[in-house]
């Protein structure tokens, strides 16, 4: 292994961590993305020194130069993954090397340096080890890890930067949707596209989310929880939600999900559910599915369930779909049996309650 693909992390514990009782209070009902831990991981990159200066330190604000190129040209990528408390008291990550690889794929697309998998893994493992007490005990609680990297070079020319900061922060989380959301409603965006062929749709870069916000805000105005995007060419085929992949369940027991054509994010939850569905003997197709077909199939009863999936959302039933052309309900508007069976199968593995037949759990020491 080349020297730079591993680094020694200097660990400096937070001198003033949150007191245990204050932390417990924050963990009672953390919501999503508002409660942060005591530490963060930082690694620097420069063309000259490659990866260097790996640290675990107290979580603190950054000071960055106003000409840092990320602030102007948005050269930024991120990941989202969770550390779970297991039934037996241990702690584990779920398929973390898949996140490491996707982070490298995103980096290549954004003309950024690829972080070696060993450094990615060590940054995560060390951060979880030092902030383990922040993993909520509650059902459905987890420590959400947010690795990210941005261009820190101070330069206004438009080119790939020569300096980057890679960091990981951690957030104690409960359910992504308020109240656990038995079923969510989604708004079909007709005016906005998320991604086009040749664009950055398959990369997890901040710019994709910036571009989705006006459509997500419209969804909220329309009384929906999330936006769903259609393909940018024909504006017919369902792609994905603002922050989740989508699955359809039919009355013959089969499932479908949009194929990875380069415009949607290759979700790790999506991939895991494809495998679990096949394990359960279900037929799964990766294929285009048009919004008109969705409406017609919901009306005829051929489509019986639909759900969104992702690290943050886990598996969340979709109960209602709305668009300027009117709205339609899926099934009885509540969680469907196939959706919930898949959700339970996934969560049981993540919590160490079911055999890990595919070797997806990455147990952490201690
Ligand atoms: N699609 C988008 C746009 C996302 O932001 C996410 C969340 O990460 C997903 C899909 C689901 O990906 P994963 O299952 O890897 O979390
Ligand atoms: C995730 O599921 O990790 C995401 O990044 C999606 C976002 C909506 C929080």
């Amino acid at each position: 292994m080349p020297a730079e693909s591993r680094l020694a992390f200097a660990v400096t514990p937070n001198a003033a961590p949150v007191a245990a009782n204050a932390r417990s209070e924050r963990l009672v009902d953390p919501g999503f993305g508002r409660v942060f831990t005591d530490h963060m991981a930082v690694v620097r990159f420069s063309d000259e020194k490659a990866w260097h200066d790996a640290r675990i330190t107290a979580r603190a604000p950054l000071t960055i130069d106003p000409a840092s190129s990320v602030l102007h040209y948005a050269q930024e990528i991120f990941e989202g993954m969770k550390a779970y408390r297991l039934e037996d008291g241990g702690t584990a990550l779920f398929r973390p090397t898949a996140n490491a690889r996707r982070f490298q794929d995103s980096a290549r697309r954004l003309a950024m340096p690829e972080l070696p998998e060993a450094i990615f893994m060590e940054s995560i493992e060390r951060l979880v080890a030092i902030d383990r007490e922040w993993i909520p005990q509650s059902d459905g609680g987890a420590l959400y890890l947010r690795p990210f990297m941005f261009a820190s070079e101070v330069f206004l020319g438009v080119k790939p930067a020569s300096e980057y900061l890679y960091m990981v922060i951690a957030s104690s989380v409960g359910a992504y949707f308020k109240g656990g959301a038995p079923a969510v409603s989604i708004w079909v965006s007709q005016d906005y596209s998320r991604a086009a062929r040749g664009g950055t749709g398959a990369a997890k870069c901040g710019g994709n989310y910036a571009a989705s916000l006006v459509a997500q805000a419209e969804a909220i105005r329309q009384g929906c929880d999330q936006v769903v995007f259609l393909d940018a060419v024909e504006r017919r085929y369902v792609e994905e939600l603002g922050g989740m992949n989508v699955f359809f369940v039919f009355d013959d027991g089969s499932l479908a999900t949009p194929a990875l054509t380069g415009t949607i994010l290759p979700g790790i939850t999506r991939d895991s559910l494809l495998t679990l569905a096949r394990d359960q003997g279900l037929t799964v197709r990766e294929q285009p599915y048009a919004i008109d077909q969705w409406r017609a199939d919901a009306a005829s009863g051929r489509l019986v369930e639909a759900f969104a999936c992702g690290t943050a959302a886990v598996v969340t039933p979709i109960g209602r779909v709305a668009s300027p052309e009117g709205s339609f309900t899926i099934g009885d508007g509540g969680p469907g049996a196939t959706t919930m069976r898949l959700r339970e199968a996934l969560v049981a593995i993540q919590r160490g309650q079911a055999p890990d037949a595919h070797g997806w759990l990455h147990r952490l020491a201690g």
Side-chain angles (χ1 to χ4, degrees):
M1 203 178 283
E4 71 159 56
S5 61
R6 276 194 187 279
L7 286 178
F9 277 72
V11 180
T12 313
N14 189 327
V18 174
N21 57 345
R23 184 179 62 226
S24 302
E25 266 169 42
R26 290 184 207 178
L27 296 190
V28 174
D29 183 17
F32 185 89
R34 294 194 184 282
V35 174
F36 295 98
T37 64
D38 292 314
H39 298 89
M40 61 186 188
V42 188
V43 183
R44 290 188 175 275
F45 178 92
S46 67
D47 281 355
E48 239 166 57
K49 295 196 202 163
W51 300 100
H52 64 283
D53 195 15
R55 284 170 290 141
I56 301 288
T57 68
R59 186 178 181 280
L62 298 175
T63 303
I64 58 172
D65 191 283
S68 298
S69 66
V70 66
L71 299 178
H72 304 272
Y73 311 124
Q75 206 188 359
E76 190 268 356
I77 58 171
F78 67 96
E79 267 304 322
M81 56 206 288
K82 283 176 174 170
Y84 301 90
R85 263 187 214 285
L86 302 178
E87 184 102 318
D88 65 7
T91 310
L93 301 164
F94 183 73
R95 305 186 68 183
T97 53
N99 294 95
R101 280 196 297 275
R102 189 169 65 186
F103 198 61
Q104 294 176 336
D105 295 342
S106 298
R108 270 197 311 283
R109 179 61 185 85
L110 274 286
M112 299 166 94
E114 289 177 47
L115 182 71
E117 184 177 306
I119 301 178
F120 182 95
M121 291 300 296
E122 188 153 0
S123 66
I124 302 284
E125 287 173 4
R126 286 190 177 267
L127 185 61
V128 175
I130 201 165
D131 282 336
R132 193 183 304 274
E133 298 304 319
W134 288 89
I135 308 179
Q137 298 279 4
S138 55
D139 240 19
L143 190 64
Y144 183 82
L145 297 155
R146 173 52 63 88
F148 61 105
M149 172 162 58
F150 61 87
S152 53
E153 186 185 3
V154 177
F155 181 57
L156 291 184
V158 181
K159 63 150 188 101
S162 62
E163 289 170 24
Y164 297 88
L165 211 55
Y166 163 72
M167 305 183 67
V168 190
I169 54 173
S171 175
S172 312
V173 301
Y176 184 73
F177 291 106
K178 268 206 192 84
V184 294
S185 53
I186 60 175
W187 172 253
V188 183
S189 180
Q190 303 225 308
D191 295 335
Y192 304 105
S193 300
R194 177 181 174 278
R197 210 167 142 193
T200 57
K204 207 161 164 59
C205 60
N208 287 344
Y209 297 79
S212 77
L213 295 179
V214 65
Q216 175 63 23
E218 185 178 84
I220 302 285
R221 269 201 311 281
Q222 296 290 341
C224 294
D225 300 295
Q226 269 277 320
V227 61
V228 62
F229 290 101
L230 303 178
D231 78 280
V233 178
E234 295 190 52
R235 312 206 49 78
R236 278 181 64 206
Y237 295 104
V238 179
E239 297 237 296
E240 64 178 322
L241 277 55
M244 289 142 225
N245 293 117
V246 61
F247 276 78
F248 311 98
V249 184
F250 299 95
D251 62 351
D252 63 358
S254 68
L255 274 85
T257 191
L260 302 179
T261 55
T263 55
I264 67 173
L265 192 80
I268 294 159
T269 316
R270 172 191 179 281
D271 184 74
S272 308
L273 292 169
L274 285 172
T275 299
L276 292 177
R278 288 179 180 129
D279 287 353
Q280 292 183 6
L282 303 173
T283 301
V284 196
R285 295 177 300 272
E286 295 178 71
Q287 62 172 41
Y289 193 59
I291 183 67
D292 293 340
Q293 191 69 48
W294 193 358
R295 186 180 288 109
D297 287 346
S300 73
R302 181 174 170 254
L303 178 107
V304 290
E305 302 173 29
F307 61 85
C309 65
T311 297
V314 192
V315 171
T316 302
I318 298 172
R320 191 172 65 90
V321 181
S323 78
E325 283 151 29
S327 90
F328 58 94
T329 304
I330 296 165
D332 62 5
T338 301
T339 301
M340 296 319 277
R341 232 182 358 259
L342 281 169
R343 182 187 162 100
E344 277 154 28
L346 177 69
V347 170
I349 295 173
Q350 290 171 337
R351 304 282 164 179
Q353 296 160 337
D356 178 22
H358 301 284
W360 287 339
L361 274 193
H362 180 90
R363 272 185 183 265
L364 299 173

